């Protein structure tokens, strides 16, 4: 397979050899794996994009009733506050969109796992909300999703994208790295700079544990999606400004894997450590179990 | 190293909140739906084990399993309303937490009584990322993933049954991906699970039923 890649270096070499974007290499590799035509593959991704767009608008429009009842209207609150936000109007809307998607997910609404359901807010928020300002077309956004997928594949192959295996750094960290690279590439970054954006994003979230209250994809997952989105935008901008990652992407991925291995299983999705075992976390868990 | 599809990373489209506790649960329920063979369920009993029992309520696992039994797919927004769907069709639903420890953390047992009085049970495990394994059907230990079209035949354990079934599939040019046979002393019967690349047409199933002696029950999933 001519366009197969397992590392960031391999991906970059494929891009540079033919002057291709990360998205284009991903599409060509998918054609090698998939029996479908290019149009069918692109349409499949377009279907994902439309589901993402819908999940943002549903999360903005309707008050979501999540399982614990502890979240559901955070997206609307932040959206309404965007004009006054210290982080600026655009960033507040991006973070609100990440809350929106994850609140839809927490209330059994339809989302696209990217790479997981628990981290599904980061990528759509970053790409779709930036498209308003940057004028990305739907086709640009579809390409962004392919570029993000390429980064996710490298992380999945060399580390993990599962909270049970690697903690939150493997879920929100991966989503943030994927979104950072995709946004950077859509804004014209070279493959090297896009991978630098991914490396910085993953470095910033390195070591984050997975400690869901009551074992549910709700607290702290929803707010961590907003953080992951903000981090992705920050890291894309740093890379676009010409800031490089001192530790190369591939080495960061291996570091993330090793940190995950050092993490106690109590901090990997089992709800036996961190926020899950705080007095408030335990009280919420007890209440939900009584209801169930 | 596994070759990942881009859609393993960006996807699937699914109803949240959890790929294992929600999407996987719907898929276990869908296996029960296929075993209905077009009949309507009258009663559905769901038993949740392990982490399904512990966090299933918060993940909507009960609603997800029921949605699957009713034929609702993992990406269908109606998953969360499956209790209402069942009520509107006068289907009696019972949900309980399993007392005994299941071997695997995310396990569900589904019992279905159909309108014609037929009963069956399915036990499935959600093994992560929305992937499942069916481990028991009607008390018989089995093992299949539901990723492929699957033919399940219960039969009397006598020589020649397996080769007659595979001969009929070969005649229809259906390629077998995986095949496993299981035997239960309790039923003194046997079960074959054949996962195929293409779905097995109804005519082939009718052929197997009429031409192969010893086949007691056959269904596709």
């Amino acid at each position: 397979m001519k366009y197969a890649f397992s590392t960031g270096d391999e991906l970059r070499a494929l891009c540079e050899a033919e002057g291709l974007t990360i998205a284009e290499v991903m599409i060509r590799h998918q054609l090698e794996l998939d029996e479908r035509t290019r149009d069918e593959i692109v349409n499949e991704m377009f279907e994902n994009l439309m589901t993402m767009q819908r999940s943002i608008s549903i999360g903005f429009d309707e008050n979501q009733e999540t399982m614990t009842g502890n979240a559901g209207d955070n997206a609307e609150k932040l959206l309404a506050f965007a004009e006054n936000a210290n982080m600026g109007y655009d960033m507040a809307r991006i973070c609100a969109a990440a809350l929106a998607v994850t609140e839809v997910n927490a209330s059994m609404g339809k989302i696209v796992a990217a790479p997981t359901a628990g981290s599904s807010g980061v990528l759509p928020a970053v790409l779709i909300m930036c498209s308003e300002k940057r004028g990305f077309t739907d086709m640009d956004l579809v390409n962004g999703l392919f570029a993000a997928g390429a980064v996710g594949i490298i992380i999945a192959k060399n580390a993990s994208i599962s909270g049970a295996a690697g903690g939150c750094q493997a879920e929100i960290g991966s989503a943030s790295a994927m979104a950072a690279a995709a946004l950077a590439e859509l804004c014209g970054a070279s493959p090297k700079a896009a991978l630098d954006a991914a490396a910085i994003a993953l470095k910033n979230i390195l070591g984050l544990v997975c400690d869901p209250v009551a074992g549910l994809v709700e607290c702290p997952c929803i707010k961590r999606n907003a953080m992951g989105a903000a981090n992705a935008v920050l890291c894309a901008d740093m890379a676009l400004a010409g800031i490089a990652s001192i530790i190369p992407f591939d080495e960061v991925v291996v570091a993330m894997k090793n940190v995950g291995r050092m993490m106690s299983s109590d901090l990997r999705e089992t709800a036996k450590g961190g926020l899950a075992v705080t007095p408030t976390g335990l009280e919420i868990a007890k209440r939900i179990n009584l209801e169930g | 190293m596994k070759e990942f599809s881009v859609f393993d990373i960006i996807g699937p489209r699914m109803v949240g909140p959890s790929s294992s506790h929600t999407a996987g649960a719907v898929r276990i329920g869908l296996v029960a739906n296929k075993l209905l063979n077009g009949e309507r369920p009258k009663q559905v009993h769901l038993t949740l084990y392990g982490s399904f029992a512990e966090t299933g309520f918060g993940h909507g696992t009960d609603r997800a399993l029921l949605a699957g039994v009713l034929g609702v797919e993992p990406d269908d927004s109606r998953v969360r309303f499956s209790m209402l769907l069942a009520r509107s069709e006068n289907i009696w639903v019972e949900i309980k937490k399993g007392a005994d420890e299941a071997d695997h953390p995310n396990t569900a047992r589904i019992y279905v009584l159909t309108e014609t009085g037929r009963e069956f049970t399915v036990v499935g495990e959600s093994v992560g990322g929305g992937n499942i394994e069916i481990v028991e059907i009607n008390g018989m230990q089995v093992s299949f993933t539901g990723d492929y079209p699957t033919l399940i035949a219960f039969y009397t354990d006598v020589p020649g049954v397996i080769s007659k079934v595979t001969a009929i599939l070969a005649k229809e040019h259906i390629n077998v991906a995986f095949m496993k046979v299981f035997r239960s002393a309790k039923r003194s019967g046997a079960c074959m699970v054949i996962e195929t690349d293409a779905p097995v047409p109804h005519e082939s199933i009718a052929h197997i039923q009429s031409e192969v002696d010893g086949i007691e029950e056959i269904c596709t999933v």
Side-chain angles (χ1 to χ4, degrees):
Chain A
M1 282 190 281
K2 191 179 165 197
Y3 294 100
F5 54 88
S6 292
T7 65
D9 282 347
E10 288 173 16
L11 175 61
R12 199 181 132 192
L14 285 167
C15 291
E16 287 170 358
E18 293 184 56
L20 304 174
T21 59
I22 293 175
E24 182 58 29
V25 170
M26 184 68 249
I27 293 171
R28 292 188 187 187
H29 179 49
Q30 187 66 25
L31 281 168
E32 293 173 331
L33 293 175
D34 212 305
E35 284 171 5
R36 291 175 287 183
T37 64
R38 186 179 174 111
D39 278 354
E40 286 167 335
I41 288 168
V42 168
N43 282 337
E44 174 76 28
M45 196 59 94
F46 186 65
E47 192 71 35
N48 284 340
L49 175 66
M50 288 197 300
T51 302
M52 288 174 168
Q53 282 168 333
R54 220 172 292 133
S55 65
I56 292 177
S57 42
I58 289 172
F60 278 165
D61 290 349
E62 296 166 22
N63 193 353
Q64 305 299 309
E65 193 188 327
T66 65
M67 301 312 222
T68 62
N70 288 334
D73 57 357
N74 293 330
E76 291 125 292
K77 282 179 182 162
L78 188 57
L79 191 65
F81 184 70
E83 299 276 6
N84 296 313
N86 293 301
M87 63 181 131
Y89 178 77
D90 292 332
M91 186 70 118
R93 284 173 57 85
I94 291 164
C95 294
L99 294 175
V101 175
T102 333
E103 287 181 333
V104 166
N105 179 61
S107 57
M108 295 189 83
K110 189 171 165 182
I111 53 89
V112 182
T116 61
S119 58
S120 57
V122 175
L123 185 60
V126 169
L127 294 189
I128 293 166
M129 299 312 284
C130 284
S131 73
E132 292 175 9
K133 184 173 175 176
R134 290 278 183 168
F136 300 145
T137 64
D138 281 352
M139 197 55 226
D140 292 336
L141 293 175
V142 164
N143 279 326
L145 295 179
F146 277 109
V151 171
I153 285 174
I154 294 167
I155 299 174
K157 276 187 169 181
N158 298 287
S160 168
I161 53 165
S162 131
C168 192
Q169 56 167 4
E171 295 209 22
I172 296 290
S174 300
S176 197
M178 289 157 55
L183 177 61
E185 178 160 287
L186 287 186
C187 294
S190 67
K192 184 198 175 296
L195 288 170
D196 270 349
I200 302 169
L202 196 53
K203 287 195 302 187
N204 286 355
I205 300 179
L206 203 66
L208 190 62
V209 301
C210 178
D211 49 356
V213 169
L216 302 180
V217 191
E218 197 161 320
C219 170
C221 321
I222 294 175
K223 288 166 189 145
R224 283 188 187 159
N225 271 267
M227 178 277 291
N231 182 55
V233 175
L234 165 67
C235 297
D237 276 346
M238 282 202 271
L240 288 163
I243 300 173
S245 176
I246 294 173
I247 312 294
F249 175 67
D250 288 329
E251 293 180 33
V252 177
V253 172
V254 173
M256 191 268 266
K257 178 192 188 172
N258 290 333
V259 169
R261 281 189 175 163
M262 290 178 211
M263 227 178 247
S264 155
S265 76
D266 289 355
L267 299 171
R268 286 186 273 120
E269 214 178 293
T270 52
K272 288 178 182 160
L275 298 172
V277 296
T278 55
T280 305
L282 289 171
E283 199 187 297
I284 293 170
K286 198 172 143 198
R287 177 165 57 80
I288 290 164
N289 270 330
L290 287 179
E291 284 171 12
Chain B
M1 213 181 264
K2 184 194 167 196
E3 276 307 316
F4 283 87
S5 156
V6 71
F7 300 111
D8 292 333
I9 307 291
I10 312 295
R13 296 184 288 276
M14 56 170 272
V15 163
S18 159
S19 55
S20 57
H21 286 61
T22 318
V26 177
R27 292 195 60 212
I28 295 172
L30 281 169
V31 172
N33 176 268
K34 297 279 175 53
L35 293 173
L36 279 166
N37 251 334
E39 281 190 75
R40 268 169 47 93
K42 193 174 162 193
Q43 283 190 29
V44 178
H45 300 188
L46 307 171
T47 315
L48 279 62
Y49 299 93
S51 143
F52 267 9
E54 281 168 35
T55 65
F57 172 74
H59 281 125
T61 305
D62 43 2
R63 291 187 256 175
L65 288 164
L66 180 62
V69 177
L70 301 178
V72 175
E73 298 281 337
D75 67 346
D76 190 320
S77 301
R78 292 176 302 165
V79 167
R80 65 191 290 189
F81 304 117
S82 63
M83 298 292 175
L84 291 173
L85 278 177
R87 202 176 304 156
S88 71
E89 294 186 31
N90 285 322
I91 299 166
W92 176 259
V93 180
E94 242 177 68
I95 298 157
K96 58 184 178 192
K97 293 181 181 180
D100 50 327
E101 284 288 311
D103 287 343
H104 291 273
N106 303 329
T107 303
R109 173 184 297 274
I110 302 173
Y111 162 89
V112 180
L113 172 68
T114 72
E115 268 192 337
T116 62
R118 187 165 63 90
E119 299 174 295
F120 60 85
T121 56
V122 178
V123 180
E125 291 171 10
S126 183
V127 296
N131 298 306
I132 62 163
E133 187 177 351
I134 300 299
V135 295
E136 193 186 310
I137 290 180
N138 294 341
M140 180 84 74
Q141 306 281 319
V142 296
S143 167
F144 64 94
T145 62
D147 291 342
Y148 295 85
T150 306
L151 180 82
I152 301 162
F154 291 95
Y155 63 102
T156 316
D157 192 21
V158 291
V161 178
I162 296 168
S163 68
K164 283 176 196 157
V165 171
T166 50
I168 291 171
L169 294 180
K171 214 162 63 187
E172 304 282 348
H173 301 287
I174 293 163
N175 193 40
V176 174
F178 304 101
M179 173 165 183
K180 298 176 192 127
V181 290
F182 305 89
R183 202 162 61 165
S184 152
K186 199 171 66 190
R187 288 173 55 106
S188 71
C191 171
M192 70 179 96
V193 173
I194 303 175
E195 298 176 86
T196 53
D197 286 335
V200 181
H202 288 299
E203 305 84 67
S204 313
I205 292 166
H207 279 171
I208 293 171
Q209 225 155 8
S210 61
E211 289 171 25
V212 183
D213 287 337
I215 296 280
E216 288 159 13
E217 203 179 331
I218 188 164
C219 53
T220 53
V221 165

